[in-house]
Amino acid sequence: MAWIEPHWERVTPVSALLLPASLLFGSAAAARRAAYGAGLIPSVKLPVPVIVAGNITAGGTGKTPLALWLATTLQARGRTPGIVCRGYGGRSSTPQRVLPDSDPYACGDEAVLLARRSGCEVWAGVDRVAVARSLLAARPACDVLISDDGLQHYALARDVELCVVDAARGFGNGWLLPAGPLRERPSRLATVDAVVVNASDGDALHPSIALIPARTARFTMKLEGREFRNILNPGHRVGPEYFSGRRVHAVAGIGHPQRFFRHLQGLGLDFTPHSFPDHHPYAVSDLAYSGADAVLMTEKDAVKCRRFAAQAYWELAVDAAPDPALGQLILDRLKMKG
C-alpha cells in the first residue's frame, strides 16, 4: 500500500476516486464500534487493567516507543506490566511468547523489539484477547497490560486509551481509508484519555492537528537518541561524530521513514537515505551499497538484519520522552480503576 500514501497527504484525483470506498469503510467502522458500545458484541474485561497505546491513522506515529516508555514508567512505580501486540509481519496467527532472541519473521519485528527493550513479558498474536489471556496465564504476577496498538480492537476492554498522533503528518487529507490515512474520524479522540502528539524539534504542526477535540487531554512527546550500537558487536557504541567523514547510508522500513532521516540530520549526519515499506523483510542485497563505510538503521529494522549482520551495520536506539504529566495522568487513571 506504500504507493497510495502520497495521496493521503492531500486530496488528489486518486484519493477522490477512492472516496466511495472510504464512505463504506466509515459506515462499517462506525457500526462495529456502536455494536461494541451497545453491548451487542461483547468486550472481554480482564482481571488486570489494560492500557492501549494506539492511533487512528495508518502508518507509524510512535506507538511502540510510547509502549516502552509506559513499561519503564510502570516498573519504576513497582508495577509488573506485560505487553501484548499484533505481531505485524510475523507468520504465526496463534498467541506466542516473544523473547529477545525470537525470530522476527515468526512473531513480528515490533514484538521482538519490545521483548529486547522492555524487560517485560511480551506476547503477540492476531486475537489480543487470547494473547492477553495467554500472557496472564504464563505470568500470573503481571498486574497491568500494555497493548501496543489495538485502539480499534474493541474485543479487548481497556481502562486507559492513549492515541499517538504524528505532529508533522497529522490526519493527512482528513479522509478515511482507503482515500485517506484515517482508521477512525478525529471525533473519536473525544473519548480517549489522552492524545500524545509526537513532535520532533523543529516540526511544524500539521493544520489537521486542530481537529483534536479541545476537551481531550493533550501531551507532547519527542523521540530522543544519540547512541549507535554496532549490530554485529552490540558492545561497540558510538556517537554521531564517529561517522564524520565516512560514506554513510541510512535505511528505514518503518511507517514514517522521513522522521528517522530527519532525526539523523538533526544529529549533524551526512548520509544517503533509503526508504523501504513498513515491516520490510530485509535481505543482504537490500543493504549492499557500494563503498559504504556504515549503514544506519532503526532498532525495528535491526531485529531483522541481525541474522546477516555485517561490521558496517549500526542501529540507533531511541526513547520516547513525553511530558512528565502524562505519567501522572496514567497512574491516576489506574488508581481510579481500582
Side-chain angles (χ1 to χ4, degrees), residues 36-203:
Y36 274 107
L40 300 177
I41 306 176
S43 294
V44 175
K45 176 68 176 173
L46 296 174
V48 301
V50 174
I51 304 171
V52 172
N55 62 15
I56 61 168
T57 55
T61 55
K63 300 180 304 295
T64 298
L66 181 62
L68 288 168
W69 175 85
L70 285 168
T72 299
T73 299
L74 291 168
Q75 287 167 330
R77 296 301 183 102
R79 305 298 292 261
T80 304
I83 301 177
V84 297
C85 59
R86 167 64 176 80
Y88 288 102
R91 295 187 296 267
S92 178
S93 59
T94 58
Q96 59 180 317
R97 187 184 190 192
V98 185
L99 301 172
D101 59 353
S102 290
D103 179 3
Y105 293 97
C107 53
D109 46 20
E110 289 168 341
V112 174
L113 172 57
L114 288 164
R116 289 178 61 86
R117 288 287 307 274
S118 70
C120 296
E121 187 82 11
V122 178
W123 282 68
V126 176
D127 184 343
R128 279 186 177 79
V129 173
V131 171
R133 284 173 166 163
S134 297
L135 187 154
L136 292 175
R139 182 72 167 167
C142 175
D143 58 11
V144 57
L145 283 175
I146 300 165
S147 177
D148 179 21
D149 206 357
L151 195 63
Q152 291 77 37
H153 196 92
Y154 294 113
L156 179 61
R158 64 289 307 269
D159 300 276
V160 180
E161 286 188 326
L162 305 177
C163 181
V164 188
V165 176
D166 184 283
R169 293 187 299 166
F171 308 118
N173 60 17
W175 287 358
L176 292 163
L177 292 167
L182 291 174
R183 298 173 177 176
E184 297 183 277
R185 299 187 187 282
S187 57
R188 165 73 168 90
L189 301 182
T191 65
V192 303
D193 292 274
V195 170
V196 182
V197 179
N198 183 11
S200 300
D201 291 337
D203 269 353

Side-chain angles (χ1 to χ4, degrees), residues 64-66 68-69 113 117 222-227 229 260 263-264 267 297-300 315-321:
T64 298
L66 181 62
L68 288 168
W69 175 85
L113 172 57
R117 288 287 307 274
K222 64 179 179 178
L223 301 181
E224 298 179 337
R226 293 181 54 85
E227 183 178 78
R229 294 191 294 250
F260 177 63
H263 189 106
L264 296 181
L267 296 177
M297 63 188 73
T298 71
E299 293 176 285
K300 177 176 164 179
E315 64 177 331
L316 175 67
V318 297
D319 295 295

Side-chain angles (χ1 to χ4, degrees), residues 31 49 223 232 292 311:
L223 301 181
L232 196 61
Q311 191 64 48

